[in-house]
């Protein structure tokens, strides 16, 4: 017997996802597996902002397929092999996939799984869904490919959504790559405190308090050279207005716009677009999947930083598959600090 989530499509492209959009059901899995397959027990699942796009028939992306009504949802996951008929996988191996079904037990094609080495992350397997996985890769490759960070160039980086899974890593990586000043923007005093005291940000702004533009001007007196954009909307407009000539926007996400029927990336307001063009600010869509040739070396770099304590990792963990819908809703509302993880079994 297995338990899995059965997804119900949200009506309309402007809807806000809630836990009730997911349904928990009980079903069965085959008793036998075929050659090339493995039976796995799910340990951890990831919920991420991009999944909101999969709730529409038109995801707005050519690399994401929509979740289908009354079919099992999927995303990043980690599990342990319990039975194998795949030559390269054995019972007890830890494996991961970007298309892991939201089930407690599953039969998967072994060729689509990646074997994990727990020692690379000091035994913290869930890190492979975050800091040592696609999230960390997005932060590192985004900065290297689109940020144009140069050690000794006295660059200031601003990160929005800075206490989230990607933002909390991006600020630290910006520093490691050579930025002289890193400022985060988050939504609570607790998050801002963690960014500064735990993750090495120079300063953090609670966008729900005070005037963000004034605080940004005070904290970045020389302007902004690199902007790691996770949120879009008014916050991004404010940051862009204070960016320097020939500066760079790393367009990672636009979570403030995901519940609206707008193209991606969302167009900038005319006055902000004028600033972007006049100051020659780059703002190019970034997709980490386009850099597969650099991923292996980048993961090893992330793991090395984790082992050395140079990259601090935060997770918000929810226990039980039955709570994955609530975890998704909370993450979309900023309820997480660091990576949102669902622990399915031990």
């Amino acid at each position: 017997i297995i338990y899995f989530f059965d997804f119900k499509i949200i009506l309309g492209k402007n809807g806000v996802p809630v836990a009730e959009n997911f349904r928990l059901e009980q079903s069965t899995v085959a008793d036998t597996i075929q050659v090339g397959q493995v039976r796995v027990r799910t340990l951890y699942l990831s919920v991420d902002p991009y999944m909101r796009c999969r709730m529409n028939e038109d995801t707005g992306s050519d690399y994401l397929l929509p979740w289908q009504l009354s079919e099992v949802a999927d995303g990043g996951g980690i599990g342990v092999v319990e039975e194998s008929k795949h030559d390269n996988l054995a019972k007890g191996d830890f494996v991961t996939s970007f298309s892991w079904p939201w089930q407690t037990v599953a039969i998967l094609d072994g060729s689509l799984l990646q074997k994990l080495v727990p020692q690379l992350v000091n035994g913290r397997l869930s890190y492979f869904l975050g800091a040592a996985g696609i999230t960390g890769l997005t932060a590192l490759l985004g900065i290297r490919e689109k940020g144009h960070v140069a050690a000794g160039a006295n660059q200031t980086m601003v990160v929005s959504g800075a206490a989230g899974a990607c933002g909390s890593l991006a600020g630290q990586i910006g520093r490691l790559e050579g930025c002289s000043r890193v400022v985060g923007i988050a939504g609570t005093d607790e998050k801002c405190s963690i960014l500064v005291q735990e993750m090495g940000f120079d300063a953090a702004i609670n966008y729900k308090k005070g005037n963000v533009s004034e605080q940004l001007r005070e904290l970045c007196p020389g302007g902004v050279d690199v902007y790691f954009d996770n949120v879009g909307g008014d916050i991004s407009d404010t940051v862009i207005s204070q960016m320097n000539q020939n500066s760079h926007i790393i367009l990672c996400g636009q979570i403030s716009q995901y519940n609206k029927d707008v193209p991606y990336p969302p167009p900038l307001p005319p006055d902000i677009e004028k600033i972007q063009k006049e100051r020659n600010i780059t703002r190019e869509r970034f997709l980490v999947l386009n850099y597969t040739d650099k991923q292996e070396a980048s993961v090893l770099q992330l793991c090395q930083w984790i082992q050395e304590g140079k990259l601090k990792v935060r997770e918000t963990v929810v226990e039980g598959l039955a709570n994955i819908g609530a975890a998704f809703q909370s993450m979309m509302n900023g309820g997480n600090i660091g990576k949102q993880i669902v622990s399915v079994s031990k």
Side-chain angles (χ1 to χ4, degrees), residues 120-170:
L120 289 176
V121 288
N122 301 325
R124 298 293 297 272
L125 276 171
S126 57
Y127 284 10
F128 284 114
L129 293 177
I134 196 76
T135 310
L137 284 172
T138 300
L140 177 57
L141 291 172
I143 289 169
R144 287 183 172 176
E145 300 297 326
K146 299 296 183 180
H148 302 277
V149 172
N154 197 34
Q155 292 166 297
T156 293
M157 171 185 280
V158 171
V159 182
S160 59
C166 199
S168 61
L169 300 172

Side-chain angles (χ1 to χ4, degrees), residues 148-155 174-180:
H148 302 277
V149 172
N154 197 34
Q155 292 166 297
R175 171 82 73 192
L176 290 166
E177 291 289 286
C179 284
S180 60

Side-chain angles (χ1 to χ4, degrees), residues 37-71:
Q37 292 182 328
V38 295
R39 185 194 307 273
V40 294
R41 175 168 52 88
T42 304
L43 299 177
Y44 301 102
L45 293 172
S46 172
V47 290
D48 303 279
Y50 80 87
M51 292 175 172
R52 174 60 185 87
C53 304
R54 302 188 68 187
M55 293 184 176
N56 296 329
E57 291 182 4
D58 177 10
T59 64
S61 171
D62 55 5
Y63 68 93
L64 285 178
L65 295 175
W67 281 331
Q68 298 299 310
L69 181 65
S70 293
E71 290 190 1

Side-chain angles (χ1 to χ4, degrees), residues 77-128:
I78 290 172
V80 60
V81 176
E82 295 192 323
E83 182 183 359
S84 175
K85 288 188 177 180
H86 188 277
D87 291 341
N88 297 327
L89 296 173
K91 182 177 180 179
D93 284 345
F94 296 105
V95 291
T96 186
S97 169
F98 191 63
S99 302
W100 196 284
W102 288 7
Q103 301 177 184
T104 55
V105 176
I107 294 175
L108 303 176
D109 181 344
S111 65
L112 301 179
L113 299 174
Q114 178 184 356
K115 190 186 299 187
L116 299 175
V117 181
Q119 292 83 354
L120 289 176
V121 288
N122 301 325
R124 298 293 297 272
L125 276 171
S126 57
Y127 284 10
F128 284 114

